[in-house]
Amino acid sequence: VRLVAAALIGLVILLVLIIKFKIQAMVAILIGAISIGLIAGMPFEDIVTAVNDGIGNTLKGIALLVGLGSMFGAILEVSGGAQTLAVTMVRCFGDKKAAWALGITGLVIAMPVFFDAGLIILIPLAFSLAKRTSRSSLFYAIPLLAGLAVGHAFIPPTPGPVLVAEMLNVELSYVIILGIIIGIPAMILAGPVFAGFIDRKSTRLNSSHTVVSR
């Protein structure tokens, strides 16, 4: 019971530090880990050793891949390659299928680029498309967010799936293949399909409000 309570309290501390106090994630993770150890009754020396061993064992397996992926993502971000890819995809799909283009672009861009960086780069395109086509911003923003979230959570070289593969001792190629197989349907359902549903709902609500006001 004490171990479970320590884990839950440590998780709460981690979330409060990141969400409320805006503390850098790595620092918050260290504080949360130390808090869990103290609440669980571990000697402080053992806590420091456990944290050092955990970070060292994790980084030695994924540091190179994550580092190279971050470098590639930074190159895309600084050079404007990510935005160029998005604009090209939208031109190929056309305005009517632009939501699909943004979802696919987000899925591809999120693999080397971190979620927040990809969002900052691409969200202006979603807003400009909404203004140009006179459609809801959600119709374009939701597929973009779905693509970014799925790409960042499921497909290496983003740190999350790489770390999971390392912890479970699974070959990275299997994680990439399964991430693509699972991620593409998830992006489609949570992105263009859901965005179309929300767009139809908002259109009906706006129409009904217009009729009532008249």
Side-chain angles (χ1 to χ4, degrees), residues 86-87 89-106 125-126 129-130 132-133 135 139-141 143-144 192:
V87 172
M89 290 288 291
V90 170
R91 286 176 180 171
C92 292
F93 278 76
D95 287 348
K96 292 185 178 180
K97 297 292 184 180
W100 288 83
L102 287 175
I104 296 171
T105 302
L125 180 60
L129 281 169
R132 189 170 72 195
T133 60
R135 303 193 73 159
F139 182 73
Y140 299 105
L144 175 61

